């Protein structure tokens, strides 16, 4: 690469040596700056990851991985660190949010792409994307003010619950899922749609048998991003989840998620307790990795089949 | 086979009069927005004939085809006047079952557009939509339609291969097969050979000879030679107007209009 670059000024030197030199220098500088920026960003992430693991792994080793993950007793002051209720809480809340986010987000995307005139989409889509900019504390506040009393009065339980958290998170995921799914659905070639219609399919049959299938990997990507937001979201969840340390038995029970646990106790934790919070972070990290891997696998399954069929 | 017989029996002229047309286009005009694309077209499509439609680009041939199976309904700008009948029924009647119409009037496009699935799935998609569920029946349909479009021998061992991995000519024949699997009554072929090599083209023309026994075929082609050798009647379109329509031999040897003879002798277009 560098030898090739060095040759360029030699060739053009005869005609306009100065200009060629200057351009080369500035390009070199820009590429170095970009390289440094990328390097510092990546190393920053690497350091953070390494730090979390360095702080968290020893305490997991001390308590024992099985006890840390499968015990329901979290009494930090007495040295009891079991995070099972929080793992279950995080998974339940995330699953609920995904169902809500997917059903409504995808429904919205299908409506926008298949049944709305393009001009309307170009107005509605940015409006939906704006919703992503609302701070999570606002979603949490609306959840506490309206949703929680509603659940308490009409469905029972304390109101602060898995259900409330799932709904709030699901709504927060909507803009992400909708906007990425819209892009994926729009990218489906028109010829697929026409081909299907011409074979006697109705619009809805075409949508669910052709368009959704063809857009699957994009939709999965949308859901992965939404899921990342759901697992990681803290503020809104703390406000509506109830944050108890019990294992939830129904979706109307209050829960504490992994992220809430870190946020709630970080202020006063010290020693092993503080380390146990980092260990909670490690578990969160692993869960997100696993979920993302599964989702990616799902989205790639189709192309694998293709390769095999050849 | 029995079906062929039925079709033939049905199409035997009634003693009372001439054979009724399969489709009748009556004073049909079509526009996209302000632009009028078809101007009061009158045309009949007879049972068991191959009707070729020729004419320079942008003369409205595709628009006419897409009006015959109401595919233009998908275009927000589209508007129309006049009538089109299939077996005497107005296809633009508000109560028309449009998916059923599209099954009876099947269409193959200029660019082959298989769905991103296996060959088998591509062909069975239409029949399954129509409610065929028996695996045996589907298998039989796949074989018969692939045979009818001369593709069976090339793909019979790899029906689960993606249709999009076939060559262009094979993809086009796959698109023909998947329309044949619907057991349509009218076949619309819109420049089906425009992107194909001579051998694939010959295959498709060969298939049409066979298919004409069972279906009415409308073949749009930009190749006047193809129209001359592979059709019974020919219609010449120019700027949205039907200039002339008649038996192919007559139209090519003794055209009534100057513009027709200019076009077929290659003086413009
Ligand atoms: N979906 C559409 N929207 C707007 N104009 C169209 C559309 N389809 C075709 N047209 C216009 O209609 C005219 C006739 O096109 P077409 O029927 O495709 O002609 P041909 O098949 O004879 O080449 C062209 O001028 C084309 O630009
Ligand atoms: Mg055309």
């Amino acid at each position: 690469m560098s030898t090739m670059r060095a040759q360029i000024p030699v060739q053009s030197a005869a005609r306009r040596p100065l200009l060629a030199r200057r351009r080369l220098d500035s390009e070199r500088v820009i590429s170095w700056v970009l390289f440094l920026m990328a390097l510092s960003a990546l190393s920053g992430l690497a350091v953070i990851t390494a730090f979390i693991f360095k702080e968290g792994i020893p305490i997991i080793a001390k308590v024992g991985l099985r006890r840390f993950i499968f015990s329901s007793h979290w009494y930090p002051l007495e040295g009891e660190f079991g995070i099972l209720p929080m793992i279950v809480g995080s998974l339940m809340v995330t699953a609920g949010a995904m169902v809500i986010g997917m059903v409504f987000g995808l429904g919205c995307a299908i409506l926008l792409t298949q049944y709305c005139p393009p001009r309307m989409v170009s107005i509605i889509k940015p409006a939906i994307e704006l919703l992503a900019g609302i701070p999570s504390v606002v979603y949490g506040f609306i959840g506490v003010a309206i949703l929680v009393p509603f659940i308490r009065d009409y469905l029972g339980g304390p109101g602060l619950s898995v259900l409330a958290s799932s709904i709030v998170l699901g709504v927060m995921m909507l803009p992400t899922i909708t906007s990425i799914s819209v892009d994926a659905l729009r990218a489906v070639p028109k010829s697929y749609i026409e081909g299907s219609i011409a074979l006697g399919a109705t619009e809805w049959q075409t949508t669910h048998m052709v368009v959704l299938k063809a857009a699957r990997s994009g939709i999965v990507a949308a859901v992965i991003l939404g899921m990342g937001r759901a697992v990681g979201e803290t503020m809104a969840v703390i406000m509506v989840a109830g944050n108890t340390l019990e294992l939830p038995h129904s979706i109307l029970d209050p829960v504490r998620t992994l992220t809430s646990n870190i946020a709630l106790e970080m202020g006063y934790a010290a020693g092993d307790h503080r380390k146990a919070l980092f260990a909670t972070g490690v578990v969160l990290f692993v869960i997100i990795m696993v979920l993302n891997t599964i989702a990616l696998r799902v989205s790639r399954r189709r192309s694998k089949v293709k390769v095999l069929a050849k | 086979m029995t079906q062929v017989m039925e079709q033939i029996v049905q199409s035997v002229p009634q003693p009372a009069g001439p054979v009724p047309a399969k489709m009748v286009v009556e004073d049909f005009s079509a526009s996209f927005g302000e632009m009028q694309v078809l101007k009061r077209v009158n045309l009949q499509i007879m049972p068991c004939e191959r009707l070729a439609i020729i004419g320079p680009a942008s003369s409205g041939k595709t628009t006419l085809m897409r009006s015959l199976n109401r595919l233009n309904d998908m275009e927000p700008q589209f508007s129309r006047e006049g009538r089109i009948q299939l077996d005497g029924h107005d296809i633009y009647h508000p109560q028309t079952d449009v998916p059923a119409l599209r099954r009876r009037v099947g269409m193959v496009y200029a660019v082959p557009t298989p769905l991103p699935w296996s060959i088998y799935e591509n062909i069975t998609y239409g029949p399954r939509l129509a409610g065929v569920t028996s695996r045996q029946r589907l298998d039989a349909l796949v074989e018969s339609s692939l045979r009818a479009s001369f593709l069976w021998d090339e793909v019979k061992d790899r029906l689960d291969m993606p249709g999009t991995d076939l060559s262009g000519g094979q993809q086009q024949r796959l698109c023909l097969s998947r329309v044949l699997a619907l057991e349509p009554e009218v076949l619309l072929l819109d420049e089906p050979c425009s992107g194909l090599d001579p051998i694939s083209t010959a295959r498709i023309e060969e298939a049409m000879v066979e298919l004409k026994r069972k279906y009415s075929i409308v073949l749009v082609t930009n190749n006047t030679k193809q129209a001359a050798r592979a059709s019974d009647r020919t219609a010449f379109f120019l700027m949205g107007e039907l200039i002339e329509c008649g038996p192919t031999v007559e139209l090519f040897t003794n055209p009534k209009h100057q513009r027709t003879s200019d076009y077929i002798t290659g003086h413009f277009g």
Side-chain angles (χ1 to χ4, degrees), chain B residues 46-81:
Chain B
M46 307 307 287
C48 301
E49 74 160 352
R50 292 168 305 169
L51 171 67
I53 295 184
I54 58 172
S58 291
S59 48
K61 307 179 299 284
T62 299
T63 307
L64 175 67
M65 301 289 260
R66 291 166 56 94
S67 300
L68 292 174
N69 67 353
R70 290 191 60 171
L71 218 53
N72 274 329
D73 291 13
M74 291 172 69
E75 304 293 338
Q77 299 254 292
F78 177 76
S79 63
R80 55 162 182 93
E81 262 172 71

Side-chain angles (χ1 to χ4, degrees), chain A residues 194 196-197 200-201 209 310, chain B residues 66 99 102-103 109 117 125 165:
Chain A
E194 289 212 339
S196 167
I197 295 275
M209 294 169 84
K310 272 192 200 172
Chain B
R66 291 166 56 94
R102 292 181 182 139
R103 280 192 278 272
Y109 304 94
W117 310 329
Y125 180 63
D165 287 359

Side-chain angles (χ1 to χ4, degrees), chain B residues 61-62 190-191 220:
Chain B
K61 307 179 299 284
T62 299
D190 188 0
E191 303 192 10
V220 172

